Amino acid sequence: MRRLAIVIFACLIVPSTGFSQEKTWYHGTSIVEPVKYPEGFAHFDYVNVDAPKGGDLRLSASGTFDTLNPVLEKGELASGLSPRLSLVTETLMKPSLDEIDAEYGLLAEAVHYPDDYSFATYRLRPEARWADGQPVTPEDVVFSFERFKELTPQYAVYYAHVVKAEKTGERDVTFTFDEKNNRELPKIIGQLDILPKHWWEGTGSDGKPRDITRTTLEPVMGSGPYRIADFKPGAYVRYELRDDYWGKDLNVNIGYHNFRTVTYTYYADLDVEFEIFRAGNTDFWLENKAMRWANSYDFPAVANGDVKREMIENDYRSSGVMVGFIPNMRRDKFKNRQVRQALNYAFDFEELNKTLFFEQYKRIDSYFYGSDLASAGLPSGQELQILEQYRDRIPPEIFTAPYKNPVAGDQTKLRENLRQAIALFREGGYEIRNGRMTNTKTGEPFVFEILLGGPTIEPVALSFSEKLRQIGVGVSVRVVDQAQYTNRVRSFDYDVIYLGWAQSLHPGNEQRDYWGSNAATSEGSRNYAGISDPVVDDLIQQIIFAKDRDTLVATTKALDRVLLANAYVVPSYTLRASRLAYRSWLQHPEELPTYSNGFPDIWWAKAQ
């Protein structure tokens, strides 16, 4: 289901006890500690086992959609179908929301892997069925793995070291890895969405063979709890709970999937979306503007209790984050580190926090902000030992000065920051000529465009651009529709974008997609900055193969320092809590799971 923070988690695996035949099979996997729930557990502790099934949940979505194919990085996928969060398809394993990174069997009843983690075998549940009644088979799993890896750039990077998937038993699928002792690889296979091979290779409603390599508006079939009941391209999509869902009584599903229908209605503008919520035509709102949260909830439904508001920290307890303005180093003008550093001196967060954000936010100063993986102070101990290996290849200030963002908030401080920015531009080969920041060799002015996918960040970007113009840097801010924005980001067609990365408490293979050299040239990857640095690549490898938690933490902090010192992002700000507003008939457990607000997975409709 749609969750309010979409994060790819990676972790070290520790086997749980249970499910044994001639091999050791595990009903669940976790991080350093054993899984919380034993084999055969009745249900997760955080659910309401008596939650009624019913109610029509009305949600809003931004932009548009033009495809129902969840595999492709083409088109705009309808809400409710995103891999790992889909209402229609399912994964091999299902995450627990009250453990940092544990997961338990969903389509698979158990997993086996050897001590060297050279392969992993998943055993499917015999009762698992597609919506047409056919069983979920190993052939479906192999098909899904191969198609995702072939057609989706992010999966190609994420599963780069999973070299083969093959049927090895009536219900068994074995994945072979090309490197040993990468304890994360069996885990991330459990996150794979499984597709019905026979459906995708069959004939569509138009009488023609289906083609998974193309976008489609034919309602896709899955094994999950919902089916696509109705839709209008770009306007709405409605999902209906399946009475014949094979897994409705499975322990990991008890207390989940409680709404009879879930409908996403699309709007082109976030402000319009909010007005629709105020008017009572949608049921849930995740607030993303501090000013609106402070000033715009004075409508009658709030006053009379028909709309509730909550600030919930749960979503952020198991993650770190980096968000900000990201220069694209595939553009020559951003390849110089001093130039990228100069940009940060023109970002006046303190002024924005006072004038726009009602002092609700904190400035981000780590790629793992909010977690115990964030670097601080000067490196010492094991972290220092790791960095010493690269002393002659990384910025020297890593060893002498803690990372700090420039601080402004008044004209005196801002003027000093802008003077520092000019000095850094000078080191990078620029000077101000006739009021314009100019390349001293080519005579070209320093100009760029900030590309945004919606209006939310536009006031922040305009403030940033105005400060840069004071030192002769020409900046334009361009807001495009979500479809165009998505396509341009996928193809790295931008100067600067505003985006970020969520981080789990156990980083691993996804770091290659974020910062790895191979991802820098792979369209659709999340290496938005175009980072290609052998030191970063080496640190990523050390993170993936860290032998214990202390080594993982030390290496991650070392990576954090290298990324910060190279100024790949102008960090912005964050609020470590979700601001929720919702209709009073929506109910959730009194005690929400530790690491999630659980919406809409474990919420339900109050009986009217």
Side-chain angles (χ1 to χ4, degrees), residues 68 245 277 412 427 438 478:
L68 303 175
Y245 171 47
F277 172 74
T412 300
E427 292 179 32
T438 305
R478 185 178 182 189

Side-chain angles (χ1 to χ4, degrees), residues 9 31 70 103 177 185 215 243 249 301 315 326 339 347 393 417 426 436 483 492 502 550 572 590 599:
F9 295 114
I31 49 173
E103 60 184 24
F177 313 136
L185 291 177
T215 60
D243 293 329
D249 297 320
D315 294 311
I326 307 170
V339 167
F347 185 66
R393 292 190 284 162
N417 285 348
R426 187 179 301 114
R436 306 183 78 181
F492 306 131
D550 289 343
S572 61
E590 183 175 350
F599 181 83

Side-chain angles (χ1 to χ4, degrees), residues 17 176 441 544:
T17 58
T176 303
K441 292 183 179 179
I544 292 171

Side-chain angles (χ1 to χ4, degrees), residues 29-31 35-36 94-96 99-104 187:
T29 59
S30 184
I31 49 173
V35 294
K36 172 181 176 180
K94 181 168 184 170
S96 164
E99 298 170 83
I100 289 177
D101 214 351
E103 60 184 24
Y104 299 85
K187 168 74 176 188

Side-chain angles (χ1 to χ4, degrees), residues 341-413:
Q341 286 178 312
L343 300 180
N344 198 13
Y345 280 88
F347 185 66
D348 191 346
F349 163 73
E350 289 72 24
E351 178 190 54
L352 291 167
N353 208 24
K354 285 186 291 187
T355 59
L356 293 181
F357 304 149
F358 294 83
E359 303 287 355
Q360 292 183 29
Y361 294 120
K362 300 293 184 183
R363 184 88 192 268
I364 295 172
D365 59 2
S366 167
Y367 282 76
F368 302 85
Y369 183 85
S371 76
D372 66 344
L373 300 168
S375 60
L378 290 174
S380 61
Q382 187 177 6
E383 184 185 351
L384 179 59
Q385 293 174 10
I386 293 167
L387 289 167
E388 285 286 0
Q389 305 171 64
Y390 312 106
R391 181 177 280 272
D392 62 342
R393 292 190 284 162
I394 58 179
E397 62 265 31
I398 287 176
F399 299 95
T400 60
Y403 177 84
K404 291 183 180 180
N405 287 308
V407 175
D410 61 51
Q411 285 302 309
T412 300
K413 292 177 181 176

Side-chain angles (χ1 to χ4, degrees), residues 99-165:
E99 298 170 83
I100 289 177
D101 214 351
E103 60 184 24
Y104 299 85
L106 182 54
L107 284 174
E109 63 182 357
V111 59
H112 162 76
Y113 43 83
D115 292 341
D116 66 0
Y117 299 90
S118 58
F119 68 88
T121 300
Y122 278 87
R123 175 159 291 173
L124 297 173
R125 295 184 185 274
E127 68 270 33
R129 292 288 186 276
W130 298 110
D132 63 2
Q134 293 198 36
V136 179
T137 67
E139 288 83 359
D140 295 317
V141 178
V142 173
F143 171 81
S144 302
F145 169 74
E146 292 177 347
R147 295 293 84 75
F148 270 110
K149 190 174 179 182
E150 172 193 356
L151 300 172
T152 310
Q154 289 186 14
Y155 282 83
V157 175
Y158 201 46
Y159 293 129
H161 294 283
V162 186
V163 296
K164 183 170 59 174

